[in-house]
């Protein structure tokens, strides 16, 4: 079921734990980090994606009615769509950074069944539909107001950033089931995994 090795079996885990760099899952639910939660940020990105799709279709129809059809219009609309999707992809990556900041504190507000926020070193997970599966049993799952929706099982290794078994000296995202292939430099201090919202 799980990728081997588990985070506690990776060289550097004990030192990282002693330095306070690993996710900390307390006995009581933590307070939410300031600013939008990972769940709220994800909903904003999904709303922006829907609005972008509507805007691109509307721009294509208006442009076709005003300027007539043609390849030039298709190219312009395609380029606008590509730029918008690139911006949304980067916004989704910021959602992932916020999620990692939450996981670092021992909780999450965003529960994915499977999926990624980054390219994942182009890893594919065939038995999981080619997307990394997530397991949040090891952390607090909180609603956007801080209400507990699931208490952690302290016997389960929490998802988050850990020393990587695949690239020595780097840290890798562990989903609670698999290593994603998303790497980060070794954090110098706990704040190194702070959220992307600058708070």
């Amino acid at each position: 079921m799980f990728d081997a090795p588990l985070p506690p079996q990776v060289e550097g885990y004990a030192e990282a734990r002693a330095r306070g760099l690993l996710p900390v899952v307390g006995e009581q639910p933590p307070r939410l980090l300031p600013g939008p939660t990972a769940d709220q940020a994800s909903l904003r990105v999904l709303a922006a994606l829907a609005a972008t799709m509507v805007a691109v279709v509307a721009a294509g129809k208006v442009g076709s009615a005003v300027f007539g059809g043609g390849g030039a219009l298709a190219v312009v609309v395609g380029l606008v769509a590509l730029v918008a999707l690139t911006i949304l992809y980067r916004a989704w990556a910021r959602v992932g950074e916020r999620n990692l900041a939450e996981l670092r504190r021992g909780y999450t507000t965003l529960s994915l069944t499977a999926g990624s926020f980054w390219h994942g070193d182009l890893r594919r997970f065939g038995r999981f539909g080619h997307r990394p599966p997530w397991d949040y049993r090891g952390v607090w799952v909180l609603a956007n107001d801080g209400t507990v929706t699931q208490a952690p099982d302290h016997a389960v290794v929490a998802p988050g950033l850990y020393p990587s078994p695949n690239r020595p000296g780097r840290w890798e995202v562990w989903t609670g089931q698999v290593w994603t292939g998303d790497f980060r430099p070794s954090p110098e201090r706990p704040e190194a995994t702070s959220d992307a919202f600058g708070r």
Side-chain angles (χ1 to χ4, degrees):
M1 177 175 176
F2 297 102
D3 256 9
L6 297 175
Q9 300 166 330
V10 175
E11 185 178 346
Y13 176 91
E15 179 186 350
R17 183 174 181 179
R19 291 177 59 204
L21 301 176
L22 300 180
V24 177
V25 183
E27 294 297 326
Q28 298 297 320
R31 290 181 40 161
L32 295 175
L33 289 167
T37 67
D39 181 60
Q40 290 168 336
S42 74
L43 293 174
R44 291 177 186 174
V45 171
L46 294 175
L49 176 61
T52 298
M53 293 173 69
V54 169
V56 167
V57 169
K61 290 189 179 214
V62 168
S64 181
V66 172
F67 302 108
L73 176 62
V75 168
V76 169
V77 170
L79 287 174
V80 168
L82 183 62
V83 168
L85 291 175
T86 300
I87 291 168
L88 289 170
Y89 178 78
R90 289 181 178 167
W92 186 245
R94 287 193 302 273
V95 171
E97 295 300 328
R98 179 60 175 203
N99 194 38
L100 286 179
E102 290 183 354
L103 293 172
R104 167 77 182 79
R105 298 274 309 261
Y107 78 94
T108 187
T109 57
L110 177 61
S111 297
L112 299 177
T113 302
S116 184
F117 303 99
W118 309 279
H119 61 78
D121 206 28
L122 303 179
R123 288 190 70 191
R124 296 293 176 257
F125 303 89
R127 64 183 191 215
F128 301 108
H130 300 288
R131 298 176 301 154
W134 288 82
D135 181 354
Y136 297 100
R137 291 177 299 145
V139 293
W140 293 93
V141 179
L142 305 179
N144 289 325
D145 64 359
T147 304
V148 174
T149 61
Q150 175 187 296
D153 177 347
H154 292 284
V156 176
V157 180
L161 276 176
Y162 292 91
S164 173
N166 299 305
R167 288 192 189 168
R170 304 282 287 175
W171 285 49
E172 188 173 352
V173 177
W174 165 257
T175 68
Q177 289 194 53
V178 298
W179 297 98
T180 65
D182 295 302
F183 299 98
R184 302 286 186 284
S186 300
E188 298 295 320
R189 59 192 183 287
E191 296 79 29
T193 56
S194 65
D195 66 278
F197 295 90
R199 296 181 173 87

